[in-house]
Amino acid sequence: MSVARNVVVIGTQWGDEGKGKIVDWLTDRAQGVVRFQGGHNAGHTLVIGDKKTVLHLIPSGILRSQVDCFIGNGVVLSPEALLAEMDELGQAGVKNVEARLIISEACPLILPYHVALDQAREAAKKIGTTGRGIGPAYEDKAARRALRLQDLMHPERFAAKLETLLDFHNFVLKNYYKQATIDFRKTLDETLALAPRLVPLIADVPRALYHANKAGKNLLFEGAQGALLDIDHGTYPYVTSSNCVAGAAAAGAGIGPMHLHYVLGITKAYSTRVGEGPFPTELSDDVGERLRQRGREFGATTGRPRRTGWFDAAALKRSIQLNGVSGLCITKLDVLDGAETLKICVGYKIDGELSEILPVGAEELERCEPVYEEMPGWQENTVGVKAHDKLPKAARDYLARVEKLCGVPIDMISTGPERDETIVLRHPFQP
C-alpha cells in the first residue's frame, strides 16, 4: 500500500490569512480537499486571472476539475447557502460541481431559527459574529438536539424533530429576546423543498476518506477562520463556535490523527482581525489604514473593514504550539512594500513582567503591552516575485527574523493573489 502525504492548512492568527489561494495552489498535487469545521461565516477569496471567486462552504479545490471535495461532519451546514454557492460556481463555468461534492450525513443543519437567535444575541451582546446562525447550530449539536443532513432523507422524522425544536427556540425568541417567532410550516416546506438536490450529495465521508487514504491519495484538509478564534484555545469569548486548530481535522472529517502528516500554518506578513476582541498590535493610525487599503483588508463574507496591525510573533508562537505547525506560509508580503521601517512584536509586558507568548483568554490579552523590534523596510516592488533570492535583502532579513523568532521554517511565501505568485522553499506534499 502506498502512503498518502496528507496536509492540514490552518490560519495561525484570527483568520483572513489567504488560505483560499494556498489551498487552491496545493490542490494540483491533491486528489481530495476536505472542509472540517465552521460554516458559511468564513470566506475564502480566490483570484484566478481576471476572475475573483469567494467560497464560504465548498472547499477551494472545487476549481480544479479532477478533485473531489468533501464537507465533513464538523461543518454546520446552511442548505440555502450551500445551494446558492453551487449555483454561483455553475454560472461561473466550474464543471461537475455536484458530481464532485461529497457531504457528510452527520452535518448539523443551520435553519432560520438559528439565524434569528444569532442576530438577537449579537444585538444584545457584541461579540462580532456574522449573525448567520453558526453558534446556535453548534449549540444544538452539543445539546444533542440538532437536525442533521441525514434527517432530510426521512421527511416525517424531520418534521417531528423540527416541531420540537421550534417549540423550544420560539419560546426563547419570544419571551427572552422579544423577537418574532419562526413559522413551523414555512420552515418545514422550504427546507424539504431543497432535499432533492441535497440528498444525492450525502455520503459516509469518514469511510470515503479511509479508502482514499488507503489507496495512497493525497488529501488536503482546509480549515476556516484562524487558530486564535478557536472555541477552546482562542481569545475567549471573542472566538468562533468551533475548533479550528489543526487537530480538529481528525474529529471534523473523521480521519485518524496518525494520517495527518504535515500542518501548514498560514500567516500574513502583518496582522489583521475582524470583529471584536483584544488586538495588541493594532494600528489605528495612517500606517494601519495604509495596510488596510494596500492589502484590501475587508471581510470576504461581511465586507467589514479588518483591523490591521504589526506582525505579532508572540501570538504566532502560541498558534504554532497549539497546531504542531510543520512549516509556515507567509502571505501578502508585497503589502509591506514601500514602508521605511517595520515592527515585529516579540512579546508583551504584563504587570511589568515580560511574556514571549500570547496569554490565554481575552481578559489577559487586554492587559498586554506589546514589545517591538524595529527593522528597516524596503522600497522595491515584491509583487509577483517567484524566487527567494529575487526578494529585496531587507525583505529576506524580515522573513529570516520571523523564522528565528517562531522556531518554524518558512516553506512558502505568497507575493500576490495569483496562483503562480508564490515562492516555494519546501513543498508540503514532498516527503
Side-chain angles (χ1 to χ4, degrees):
M1 181 185 73
S2 59
V3 178
R5 179 78 174 169
N6 300 330
V7 174
V8 184
V9 178
I10 52 94
T12 57
Q13 301 182 30
W14 288 279
D16 316 307
E17 290 99 347
K19 294 186 294 296
K21 174 208 165 169
I22 300 303
V23 169
D24 172 69
W25 187 86
L26 288 171
T27 304
D28 67 343
R29 296 199 190 181
Q31 288 78 50
V33 183
V34 190
R35 268 289 302 274
F36 59 85
Q37 50 78 219
H40 64 302
N41 56 338
H44 293 166
T45 303
L46 306 175
V47 179
I48 311 298
D50 59 354
K51 186 179 295 184
K52 178 179 176 180
T53 301
V54 180
L55 299 172
H56 301 278
L57 277 167
I58 299 175
S60 303
I62 199 70
L63 299 185
R64 306 281 188 158
S65 60
Q66 304 301 316
V67 175
D68 288 331
C69 292
F70 300 85
I71 296 179
N73 58 279
V75 176
V76 286
L77 193 70
S78 164
E80 290 185 348
L82 175 68
L83 293 175
E85 195 165 300
M86 290 166 57
D87 290 340
E88 185 177 348
L89 287 168
Q91 293 165 8
V94 180
K95 304 296 185 183
N96 303 320
V97 173
E98 297 192 22
R100 293 186 290 120
L101 190 57
I102 304 160
I103 307 177
S104 172
E105 58 195 339
C107 285
L109 297 178
I110 300 174
L111 294 171
Y113 49 87
H114 294 123
V115 178
L117 285 166
D118 204 5
Q119 294 178 357
R121 291 173 183 173
E122 181 64 18
K125 183 181 180 180
K126 297 292 184 183
I127 294 293
T129 74
T130 59
R132 298 191 173 196
I134 312 298
Y138 275 114
E139 288 177 31
D140 275 355
K141 174 184 176 178
R144 294 167 292 190
R145 60 177 176 243
L147 279 161
R148 306 204 294 181
L149 187 59
Q150 63 187 187
D151 290 317
L152 290 178
M153 302 168 68
H154 308 280
E156 290 184 3
R157 184 173 85 188
F158 183 89
K161 289 184 176 183
L162 177 64
E163 187 172 23
T164 301
L165 271 171
L166 274 179
D167 284 344
F168 174 74
H169 288 309
N170 277 337
F171 181 87
V172 176
L173 282 168
K174 179 181 178 181
N175 296 290
Y176 186 81
Y177 290 110
K178 312 301 180 186
Q179 298 293 321
T181 58
I182 303 300
D183 183 74
F184 166 73
R185 177 54 59 180
K186 183 174 185 291
T187 303
L188 177 65
D189 291 345
E190 290 181 352
T191 307
L192 289 180
L194 304 178
R197 289 189 64 190
L198 293 170
V199 169
L201 308 178
I202 294 175
D204 184 341
V205 166
R207 184 178 177 87
L209 295 178
Y210 173 82
H211 287 296
N213 184 66
K214 190 175 182 181
K217 294 183 178 180
N218 289 345
L219 299 173
L220 190 58
F221 295 82
E222 178 183 28
Q225 289 94 28
L228 300 183
L229 290 179
D230 184 275
I231 184 68
D232 288 319
H233 302 289
T235 49
Y236 190 91
Y238 301 99
V239 292
T240 193
S241 305
S242 60
N243 289 112
C244 38
V245 292
I255 190 168
M258 75 286 289
H259 298 309
L260 305 175
H261 305 127
Y262 177 105
V263 177
L264 180 65
I266 313 292
T267 186
K268 287 176 183 169
Y270 51 98
S271 297
T272 62
R273 180 166 192 163
V274 172
E276 305 297 323
F279 185 7
T281 66
E282 184 171 11
L283 293 167
S284 302
D285 55 12
D286 291 344
V287 177
E289 184 60 29
R290 181 175 183 273
L291 291 174
R292 183 178 299 111
Q293 295 301 326
R294 284 182 57 87
R296 301 185 187 92
E297 297 297 351
F298 300 90
T301 297
T302 64
R304 290 179 294 182
R306 293 177 185 141
R307 300 155 64 189
T308 59
W310 293 121
F311 187 88
D312 192 336
L316 184 56
K317 282 182 185 178
R318 170 70 68 181
S319 187
I320 287 169
Q321 292 181 14
L322 289 171
N323 291 284
V325 170
S326 311
L328 291 171
C329 173
I330 306 294
T331 64
K332 294 197 172 185
L333 181 69
D334 53 292
V335 174
L336 300 181
D337 292 355
E340 291 187 8
T341 57
L342 301 170
K343 292 182 180 180
I344 299 175
C345 174
V346 297
Y348 317 106
K349 284 185 179 178
I350 308 174
D351 298 332
E353 299 291 327
L354 182 64
S355 172
E356 296 182 352
I357 195 168
L358 187 87
V360 176
E363 290 86 358
E364 294 302 310
L365 190 55
E366 285 173 346
R367 298 165 52 221
C368 289
E369 178 186 348
V371 176
Y372 289 113
E373 282 187 4
E374 195 167 292
M375 298 190 69
W378 56 90
Q379 302 305 308
E380 299 94 327
N381 182 12
T382 65
V383 176
V385 173
K386 300 173 185 177
H388 185 263
D389 60 3
K390 300 298 182 183
L391 291 171
K393 183 179 184 303
R396 298 197 305 272
D397 291 344
Y398 181 79
L399 294 170
R401 184 57 181 151
V402 167
E403 191 174 63
K404 184 174 182 179
L405 285 167
C406 298
V408 172
I410 294 174
D411 287 346
M412 299 174 63
I413 305 159
S414 175
T415 58
E418 296 285 350
R419 280 175 177 163
D420 61 350
E421 293 175 334
T422 307
I423 299 170
V424 183
L425 302 176
R426 180 175 65 145
H427 199 294
F429 277 118
Q430 290 177 347

